[in-house]
């Protein structure tokens, strides 16, 4: 195993960490953002819609771009731009400028999300064994850090602007340095470029649908659990900010063991169990009599939903000859869920109550379990060994 390959693995993991840190920092401070600009719950939903649309716009174009330039080039550009976008969100003084900054942040992040998953898939295939859950564990580390740092910032009296700007300014140079570690992918042949334009195999769309449901759950928890704990259960803001990092701790635990569980039980079995667990524990959150019980249940929701997106992305990456376009397709479908979920919750909560609106999370868990049963028992192209990615690393060494 070459030094370049190990460096690419660590670089990919750290990219997930920083992505989780930046997005998590914005989400855990949403209550402070509502106070800063006097936003209603429906307006928070609109802001999240703009962020999601920005991400989705770039994701929808990634199939062709990934086929042509590869994940390394996109990450070298998108990583620093994401940090700059977050800085714009921190400094926006009013709602119109905030919407512009959030859109740019979402567009840059959409590029990074697809590219870092394609990079993770390339590294995974070069290693010849499942690694994607471990990559996504890096996201959890970043999100947990965002929640912990957010709680400390609240306790120290740091406003939204200072907290978010500091994270952006720290992330910017690190993203630039990580650009040197990414795996050099082989240039796309003409057939590969055409693959970015044609329809994917049906399993890619099924995986994208499952990811759509899972990301609706993740987006709902990330964007609304803080307000739910504060407004429905009466938790102080510092306690309400802990719901998301506790959720991410559960995700981290599951993802650290997910690759080994995949080898033993397969994707189909894991997705079915994950969907049932997500539905059950989300119901516990909604029925919780106190904030302490709800925060504790968030851990188990995270445990249930954690492996769904890395499993679907990893499997999508083996469904075609090159992982990038298939991952871009599944990722775009997934982020449509991330886009739709928080918006639906926002408008449903205005029409009913936030607790009632969050019942969507229970339904999503059930749908994940049912959709998982439609996957084939045997994973397609499951042999990870072969690999153009490994050949590219060795050629560059």
């Amino acid at each position: 195993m070459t030094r370049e390959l190990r460096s690419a693995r660590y670089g990919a993991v750290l990219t997930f960490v920083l992505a989780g840190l930046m997005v998590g920092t914005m989400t855990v401070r949403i209550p402070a953002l509502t106070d800063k600009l006097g936003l209603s719950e429906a307006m928070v939903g609109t802001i999240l819609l703009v962020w999601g649309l920005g991400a989705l716009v770039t994701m929808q174009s990634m199939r062709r771009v990934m086929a042509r330039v590869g994940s390394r080039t996109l990450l070298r550009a998108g990583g620093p731009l994401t940090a700059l976008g977050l800085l714009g969100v921190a400094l926006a003084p009013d709602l119109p400028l905030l919407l512009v900054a959030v859109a740019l942040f979402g567009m840059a992040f959409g590029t990074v999300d697809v590219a870092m998953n394609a990079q993770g898939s390339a590294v995974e295939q070069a290693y010849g064994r499942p690694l994607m859950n471990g990559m996504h564990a890096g996201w959890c580390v970043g999100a947990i850090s965002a929640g912990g740092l957010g709680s400390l910032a609240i306790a120290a009296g740091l406003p939204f602007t200072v907290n978010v700007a500091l994270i952006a300014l720290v992330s910017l140079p690190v993203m630039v340095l990580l650009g040197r570690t990414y795996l050099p992918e082989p240039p796309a042949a003409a057939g590969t470029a055409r693959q970015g334009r044609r329809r994917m195999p049906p399993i890619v769309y099924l995986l994208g649908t499952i990811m759509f449901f899972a990301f609706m759950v993740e987006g709902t928890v990330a964007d609304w659990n803080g307000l739910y704990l504060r407004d429905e259960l009466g938790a102080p803001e510092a306690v309400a900010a802990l719901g998301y990092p506790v959720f991410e701790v559960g995700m981290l635990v599951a993802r650290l063991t997910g690759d080994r569980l995949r080898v033993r039980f397969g994707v189909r079995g894991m997705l079915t169990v994950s969907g049932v667990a997500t539905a059950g524990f989300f119901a516990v959150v909604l029925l919780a009599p106190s904030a302490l019980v709800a925060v504790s249940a968030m851990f188990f929701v995270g445990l249930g939903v954690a492996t769904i997106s890395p499993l679907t992305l990893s499997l999508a990456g083996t469904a075609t000859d090159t992982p990038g376009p298939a991952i871009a397709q599944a990722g775009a479908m997934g982020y449509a869920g991330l886009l739709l979920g928080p918006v639906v919750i926002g408008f449903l909560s205005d029409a009913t109550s936030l607790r009632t609106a969050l019942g969507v999370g229970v339904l999503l868990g059930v749908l994940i379990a049912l959709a998982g049963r439609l996957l084939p028992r045997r994973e397609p192209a499951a042999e990870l060994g072969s690999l153009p990615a490994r050949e590219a690393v060795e050629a560059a060494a």
Side-chain angles (χ1 to χ4, degrees):
M1 187 177 300
T2 66
R3 179 181 301 175
E4 287 81 6
L5 187 54
R6 286 193 297 270
S7 177
R9 181 181 180 183
Y10 298 144
V13 171
L14 286 174
T15 302
F16 275 88
V17 171
L18 283 177
L21 177 65
M22 287 190 284
V23 175
T25 296
M26 186 184 77
T27 56
V28 299
R29 295 308 306 268
I30 280 177
L33 179 60
T34 63
D35 294 340
K36 174 185 175 181
L37 298 180
L39 305 175
S40 66
E41 289 182 354
M43 184 53 65
V44 171
T46 301
I47 291 168
L48 297 173
L49 172 64
V50 170
W51 182 85
L53 280 173
L56 194 59
V57 164
T58 51
M59 285 182 171
Q60 290 287 3
S61 66
M62 283 299 102
R63 277 178 57 177
R64 295 184 182 184
V65 177
M66 285 290 302
R68 291 182 180 276
V69 304
S71 60
R72 181 173 69 165
T73 299
L74 288 174
L75 284 173
R76 286 177 169 177
L81 287 175
T82 301
L84 290 173
L86 182 63
L87 183 62
V89 171
L91 299 178
D94 53 39
L95 182 59
L97 288 176
L98 175 65
L99 291 173
V100 172
V102 165
L104 294 175
F105 178 46
M107 292 175 70
F109 171 73
T111 301
V112 167
D113 189 84
V114 170
M116 73 183 181
N117 278 291
Q119 178 72 193
S121 179
V123 172
E124 179 181 63
Q125 293 186 46
Y127 267 76
R129 58 188 172 88
L131 294 174
M132 190 67 84
N133 271 291
M135 300 283 183
H136 281 249
W139 172 281
C140 296
V141 170
I144 293 165
S145 300
L149 292 171
S151 292
L152 289 175
I154 293 167
L158 289 181
F160 173 88
T161 299
V162 175
N163 183 187
V164 176
L166 285 174
I167 296 299
L169 291 172
V170 170
S171 299
L172 177 59
V174 180
M175 276 294 194
V176 172
L177 291 174
L178 286 177
R180 303 176 60 183
T181 70
Y182 299 131
L183 193 70
E185 295 165 307
T192 300
R194 286 194 300 272
Q195 186 183 65
R197 297 190 292 270
R198 68 172 184 250
R199 285 182 63 84
M200 294 284 124
I203 190 173
V204 174
Y205 297 100
L206 174 58
L207 292 167
T209 300
I210 295 171
M211 191 174 168
F212 173 89
F213 297 147
F215 269 28
M216 279 192 76
V217 174
E218 291 189 31
T220 295
V221 172
D223 296 332
W224 289 105
N225 87 93
L227 286 173
Y228 169 72
L229 292 169
R230 188 185 72 172
D231 296 348
E232 296 287 330
L233 298 181
E237 186 181 351
V239 174
L242 292 176
Y244 183 59
V246 167
F247 169 78
E248 289 289 344
V249 169
M251 296 186 76
L252 175 61
V253 171
R255 286 175 175 175
L256 288 175
T257 59
D259 292 322
R260 292 190 293 274
L261 291 173
R262 176 184 174 182
V263 171
R264 184 171 181 180
F265 298 108
V267 172
R268 187 172 184 262
M270 287 185 66
L271 289 178
T272 303
V273 172
S274 294
V276 171
T278 299
F281 288 112
F282 213 109
V284 173
V285 171
L286 299 181
L287 297 173
S290 67
L292 180 60
V293 174
V295 169
S296 300
M298 287 290 184
F299 172 85
F300 295 99
V301 175
L303 203 66
V305 78
T307 59
I308 297 171
S309 57
L311 285 173
T312 52
L313 287 168
S314 178
L315 199 56
T318 65
T320 61
D321 293 337
T322 53
I327 287 175
Q329 177 63 52
M333 293 177 69
Y335 269 87
L338 194 67
L339 165 66
L340 181 62
V343 177
V344 168
I345 299 301
F347 289 105
L348 281 179
S349 66
D350 270 1
T352 57
S353 69
L354 185 52
R355 188 191 297 266
T356 301
L358 289 174
V360 170
V362 179
L363 175 61
L364 291 169
V366 174
L367 291 174
I368 290 165
L370 293 175
R373 304 307 296 172
L374 300 177
L375 289 171
R377 292 183 180 275
R378 184 174 181 179
E379 298 177 24
E383 297 298 325
L384 293 175
S386 73
L387 301 173
R390 178 177 292 165
E391 292 169 4
V393 173
E394 292 172 352

